[in-house]
Structure formats: C-alpha cells, structure tokens
C-alpha cells in the first residue's frame, strides 16, 4: 500500500497575536508546529505501515522553513518527504492550494491520501475535499477510525457527525481527512531524529509539477482576506429576575436604546 499524507506547518495558536493596524498574524517569534489534525493523519498512516508494510510519503506546501515538519515526519517513521515551495505559490487561498497539491499528487503513485480535517490557522476544512475533487477520487471527511480491508483493498471509516457517526466503506484509491482526536501521535525516536537529517527532502517548484500560473498563488485565488481581528471583550451584562410581561418590556426598551427605534 502506498500512502501520501498532506501536512502543513502552522503557527502555534496558543501564542498567536494579531497586528491591530494591519489585522494580520504576527509571526515573528511565534513557534511553528505540524498542524495537529495532520499529525494525527500521519499517525494513522504510520499505523497502517506498522501493520501492512505501507510506504508513507509526506508532502507539504509552504516556505523553505516548512522543511522542519518534514524532518519531524521522517523521525516519526515516514519514508519519503516532499516540500512544494515557490514564490509563485504565495498568497494562495484554499482553491489555489488544493490545485497545487493535486498537481503534485498526480505525479505520485498512491492508494490512499490522508490529510487533517483542517488547519488551525485557517479552520476552513476545505483543502482536503477540494484536492479529492480535483483528482476525481472518493473522499471521506471527519474520520475518527480507519480500518483497512486487505482482501478487497477498501477502507471502513467511522465518520463523526454532530450527534453520532456514520460507518462508511470506500474503495481505494481515496482521500480521507482525519480528526486530531483520532490518534495520539507517536514521539520521534532518538535514532529517527538522527537519521532524519541524513535523508533527502525533495524540493518541488512550479516547474517540477507543471501547473498553469492561473491556478496558483494570488492569481489562482478567487477569495482574499480583507481583514482579520480578535473578538473584542463584551461589557458585563445585567440579570433581571422578573415575570414574563416585565421581561418583554425590558427587552423592548433595550432594543429601542440600541437601535434608536
């Protein structure tokens, strides 16, 4: 079995700050980590490798420093790592990002593609499903448990919904997005850390994957972030212990004050 895991380097959101003027993330001095959902997806792939001897390739799109999370993936047990990096990819929204990833994935052999449900710096949950659509393969999102059926090369997946779960079967090749709570990712092995720096991280550019400039970066992004800001603190409220009629009168009065009715 050949598995490709899509990962992303993200700022550690426990320490995120926003520029009050520009409304952009302040990344200086903020540590970067492997996105938690993606790391859970990597663990899922490594579990399949442990059990079935799968070959695990990890791929990410980002700046050169994103190589760090690929080294981490090597130390955890991944077999191959690819960094898609090029200034032309800068400013990509989810569509341009998924276009780029899909173009890269078309050049690889795979039975299963795994990604995290969503990235903690964007929370869109769009890149995985969009990538599957570009590749025209089936997809299952919000996976908490995955079971591989070796006899017919299919997966049985527990997909979490708001008030329960679906138990779905999908034939490979397919793409699955995994929840962070699906796994407790393994620690990097000391030997793995040492060996990780002797392994090659392949660098792919826009020339490597041969994708049209109109599909990538800012040019290929139909959406733009106009402004980002933190939620302001609310003024302390008041509690009224009154009957229904008085409550209605108070609500109407407050609405008149707020909206000048």
């Amino acid at each position: 079995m050949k598995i490709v895991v899509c990962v992303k380097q993200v700022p550690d959101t426990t320490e995120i700050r926003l520029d009050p003027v520009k409304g952009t993330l302040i990344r200086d001095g903020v540590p970067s980590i492997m996105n938690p959902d993606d790391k859970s997806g990597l663990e899922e792939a490594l579990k399949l490798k442990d059990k079935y001897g799968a070959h695990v390739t990890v791929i990410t799109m980002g700046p050169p420093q994103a190589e760090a999370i690929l080294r981490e993936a090597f130390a955890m047990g991944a077999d191959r790592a690819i960094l898609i990096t090029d200034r032309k990819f800068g400013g990509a929204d989810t569509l341009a990002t998924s276009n780029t990833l899909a173009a890269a994935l078309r050049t690889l052999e795979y039975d299963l593609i795994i990604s995290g449900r969503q990235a903690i710096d964007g929370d869109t949950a769009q890149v995985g499903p969009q990538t599957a659509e570009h590749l025209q393969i089936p997809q299952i999102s919000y996976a908490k448990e995955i079971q591989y059926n070796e006899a017919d090369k299919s997966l049985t997946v527990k997909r979490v919904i708001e008030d329960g779960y679906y138990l779905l079967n999908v034939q490979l090749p397919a793409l699955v997005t995994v929840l962070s709570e699906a796994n407790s990712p393994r620690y990097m092995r000391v030997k793995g850390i040492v060996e990780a720096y002797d392994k090659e991280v392949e660098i792919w550019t826009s020339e490597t994957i041969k994708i049209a400039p109109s599909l990538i970066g800012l040019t290929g992004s139909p959406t733009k972030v106009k402004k980002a800001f933190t939620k302001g603190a609310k003024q302390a409220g008041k509690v009224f212990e009154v009957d229904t009629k008085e409550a209605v009168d108070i609500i109407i009065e407050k609405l008149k004050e707020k909206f000048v009715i």
Side-chain angles (χ1 to χ4, degrees), residues 27 65 82 87 133 156 169 207 209 231 261:
R27 295 179 182 268
Q65 56 265 35
I82 300 168
R87 287 188 178 275
E133 288 297 311
T156 300
N169 183 265
E207 291 298 317
I209 61 177
K231 187 177 179 180
I261 297 176

Side-chain angles (χ1 to χ4, degrees), residues 3-7 38 41-42 45 56-60 112-115:
I3 305 173
V4 181
V5 184
C6 300
V7 300
D38 299 342
L42 175 57
V56 178
T57 298
V58 180
I59 189 168
T60 190
L112 172 62
I113 300 170
I114 298 177
S115 73

Side-chain angles (χ1 to χ4, degrees), residues 173-194:
L175 183 147
V176 178
T177 73
V178 177
L179 300 169
S180 60
E181 55 264 35
N183 293 297
S184 296
R186 65 193 65 189
Y187 291 107
M188 294 180 286
R189 297 171 293 114
V190 174
K191 182 181 178 183
I193 294 172
V194 174

Side-chain angles (χ1 to χ4, degrees), residues 48-261:
L48 290 169
K49 176 183 176 179
D50 293 342
K51 190 169 183 179
Y52 300 103
H55 181 278
V56 178
T57 298
V58 180
I59 189 168
T60 190
M61 184 182 112
Q65 56 265 35
E67 180 180 325
I69 62 169
L70 297 178
R71 298 288 178 191
E72 182 180 356
F74 269 144
M76 290 173 66
D79 301 294
R80 184 183 181 188
I82 300 168
L83 171 59
I84 304 171
T85 187
D86 194 314
R87 287 188 178 275
K88 293 179 182 178
F89 298 140
D93 68 357
T94 61
L95 181 60
T97 298
S98 62
N99 278 332
T100 306
L101 288 173
L105 289 163
R106 287 190 188 101
T107 69
L108 298 173
E109 292 183 21
Y110 59 83
D111 298 296
L112 172 62
I113 300 170
I114 298 177
S115 73
R117 166 193 52 175
Q118 62 190 46
I120 57 175
D121 61 346
D123 288 335
T124 64
Q126 293 174 355
V127 172
Q130 286 175 342
T131 302
E133 288 297 311
H134 295 319
L135 296 172
Q136 297 184 320
I137 59 175
Q139 59 177 283
I140 297 178
S141 56
Y142 291 77
K144 188 172 183 180
E145 293 180 13
I146 298 175
Q147 178 184 333
Y148 176 54
N149 308 309
E150 197 169 10
D152 64 353
K153 294 185 178 179
S154 68
L155 299 179
T156 300
V157 180
K158 179 183 280 189
R159 182 184 189 271
V160 175
I161 55 176
E162 187 174 352
D163 55 353
Y165 63 88
Y166 292 126
L167 204 58
L168 304 173
N169 183 265
V170 62
Q171 198 69 42
L172 298 179
L175 183 147
V176 178
T177 73
V178 177
L179 300 169
S180 60
E181 55 264 35
N183 293 297
S184 296
R186 65 193 65 189
Y187 291 107
M188 294 180 286
R189 297 171 293 114
V190 174
K191 182 181 178 183
I193 294 172
V194 174
E195 292 175 347
Y197 286 90
D198 292 327
K199 294 183 177 181
E200 178 192 5
V201 171
E202 299 172 40
I203 306 298
W204 290 12
T205 66
S206 58
E207 291 298 317
T208 310
I209 61 177
K210 304 296 183 184
I211 186 170
S214 61
L215 299 176
I216 62 175
L218 282 172
T219 305
S221 301
T223 61
K224 304 288 187 295
V225 177
K226 183 177 180 181
K227 185 179 181 182
F229 53 92
T230 55
K231 187 177 179 180
K234 288 186 176 181
Q235 190 176 24
K238 295 181 180 179
V239 177
F240 298 90
E241 294 184 3
V242 296
D243 60 29
T244 303
K245 184 179 182 306
E246 289 179 282
V248 171
D249 292 338
I250 291 171
I251 291 170
I252 292 173
E253 189 60 36
K254 293 298 180 183
L255 287 172
K256 285 181 177 179
E257 290 175 7
K258 186 172 182 63
F259 298 105
V260 194
I261 297 176

